[in-house]
Structure formats: structure tokens, C-alpha cells
Amino acid sequence: RKEVEQDPGPFNVPEGATVAFNCTYSNSASQSFFWYRQDCRKEPKLLMSVYSSGNEDGRFTAQLNRASQYISLLIRDSKLSDSATYLCVVNPTGSGGYNKLIFGAGTRLAVHP
Amino acid sequence: DAMVIQNPRYQVTQFGKPVTLSCSQTLNHNVMYWYQQKSSQAPKLLFHYYDKDFNNEADTPDNFQSRRPNTSFCFLDIRSPGLGDAAMYLCATSREVAGGLETQYFGPGTRLLVL
């Protein structure tokens, strides 16, 4: 089983739609969680951290469910510019304080007019 | 302003010919990482430096080496590139803060092609 698993997609949605991605992780002791965005042939960029209480940043909402070991990302009112691959990222404990990140393979989102 | 810089952005090498990729940072972060990312796959950590302390991932092939001569620079050496080493190579940095480490900042990557 992969340490971080995501549905690869693609999710094809019209502008203005609401779309949700889920991600599961295997290490129950993991402490830090993130969503990164990666555009085609570009580097990953931090979209948002995921906190236990859930957090929102504009049209983006992230949720963490520790009991079920999954993380979600909700995008409301999708824009064409949201088209990208969204990477679920987990920092497992026992990494020796080195902030080792484990990446999922990403979920591809395509927003069309 | 670029904070994590990778050169070159595109590198073509021949099968078996050693190649070096470089990364520099203006953030003064004490931790630097090298990742390999193949098409439609997750970035895979190869190794990282915590200050001068080198940490190799268990499954990183011996063909891959790294050097960090100072805080700002880090190099990835591929001693004998094979066709399977064609990928995007990403450099990232992070810094230690109270309570742990901040998240990672990535450079734009170097895309390696092996002929």
C-alpha cells in the first residue's frame, strides 16, 4: 500500500463548479499535512496547510479526518486557472525532525469554459 | 525574485556520461532536498542535507551522489545516467523554526533527457 494515495483523475469540471479531492495516508502517527499545486512542467507550490480543525483560504477548504486517515480539498467556484495537478503531502513522524515529506502522485483537475 | 534557482532548466546527456545539476538558494535555509519526479508520478526524495549532515534515502541508487559545499549551493551528480534516469529533478529548501521545520520551497526543476 502506498503511503499517500490519491485518485489520479482527471476531474473535468465546468467553470463555477465545486470539486472535491480526497487523499488517504497510511501512517496513523502522521502530524503535518499539506496540499501542493503543480502546474504542467512546473515545480510544486504550497497551496495550503491542513489543520485538525479544518481551514479555509478563499475558495479553498481543507479538512483532516484523523480517525479515517484522509484529507480533503474542496474548491468552490472553479476558475480556468485552477486547472493543475493537486498533490496531497504528508509529513510522517519519525522523520528525525528533518521535515521529510511524502507526496501523493496527484489528482489532475481540468476546468473548462 | 527567484529564491531557489536550478541550473540548467533542461539538460541533455548521453547514456553513461556523468552529469551534474545545480541548485542555489537565497533564503539561507539550512535544509536542502533533491527529488526525482517522473511523468505522472509523485516527487521521490533522493536525499537531503540538514546543514552539512547528509541523509541518503534507503532506495536511492548509488549512481546518485550529492555535494553541498556551502549553505547556498547543492549539487546532484549522476555518475552514469541510464535511460531510466530521465526525469524532472527538483531541489527544495526549508528552515528550522521553533517547534520544527517550515514547509518546503521548490526550485523550478531541471528536466533531464538521456540519449
Side-chain angles (χ1 to χ4, degrees):
Chain A
R1 182 185 173 188
K2 291 181 181 177
E3 291 185 78
V4 179
E5 294 206 64
Q6 298 182 247
D7 180 343
F11 284 61
N12 293 299
V13 302
E15 277 186 286
T18 295
V19 62
F21 308 136
N22 288 332
C23 161
T24 59
Y25 59 95
S26 61
N27 186 339
S28 60
S30 297
Q31 294 296 320
S32 305
F33 310 89
F34 310 91
W35 284 101
Y36 275 70
R37 170 194 169 130
Q38 187 171 26
D39 292 291
C40 188
R41 295 181 173 269
K42 297 286 183 67
E43 74 275 24
K45 291 185 177 178
L46 179 66
L47 179 66
M48 59 197 305
S49 301
V50 186
Y51 303 121
S52 296
S53 54
N55 48 300
E56 188 174 306
D57 183 2
R59 298 181 293 108
F60 299 84
T61 301
Q63 296 279 353
L64 168 63
N65 184 321
R66 285 190 184 274
S68 301
Q69 293 178 218
Y70 81 77
I71 308 148
S72 65
L73 176 68
L74 182 77
I75 305 175
R76 291 181 299 277
D77 189 22
S78 299
K79 311 291 185 191
L80 295 176
S81 57
D82 293 334
S83 298
T85 296
Y86 291 83
L87 302 169
C88 176
V89 185
V90 174
N91 182 2
T93 57
S95 60
Y98 290 148
N99 196 21
K100 175 177 176 176
L101 299 181
I102 307 297
F103 285 79
T107 298
R108 199 152 59 88
L109 171 66
V111 182
H112 57 82
Chain B
D1 292 334
M3 296 181 290
V4 183
I5 302 159
Q6 290 188 245
N7 285 304
R9 295 294 306 279
Y10 300 90
Q11 176 73 57
V12 181
T13 191
Q14 292 177 331
F15 183 94
K17 184 175 180 181
V19 66
T20 294
L21 310 182
S22 73
C23 176
S24 63
Q25 52 137 336
T26 59
L27 298 165
N28 203 34
H29 286 176
N30 59 327
V31 190
M32 294 186 76
Y33 311 77
W34 278 105
Y35 290 86
Q36 179 194 64
Q37 187 177 26
K38 297 186 178 180
S39 182
S40 300
Q41 294 184 22
K44 178 181 178 299
L45 183 64
L46 296 173
F47 24 60
H48 68 276
Y49 278 92
Y50 193 106
D51 295 319
K52 294 183 179 181
D53 184 20
F54 176 71
N55 298 272
N56 198 34
E57 292 301 299
D59 57 354
T60 298
D62 292 339
N63 199 23
F64 291 84
Q65 304 286 321
S66 185
R67 296 170 282 136
R68 188 180 187 187
N70 54 53
T71 300
S72 301
F73 286 87
C74 196
F75 300 98
L76 169 61
D77 301 309
I78 309 176
R79 292 192 298 187
S80 182
L83 298 179
D85 296 328
M88 172 81 94
Y89 290 87
L90 294 159
C91 174
T93 73
S94 66
R95 67 169 181 169
E96 186 173 17
V97 295
L101 288 168
E102 288 187 336
T103 192
Q104 296 179 19
Y105 295 85
F106 284 83
T110 294
R111 187 165 294 277
L112 178 68
L113 179 62
V114 181
L115 300 177

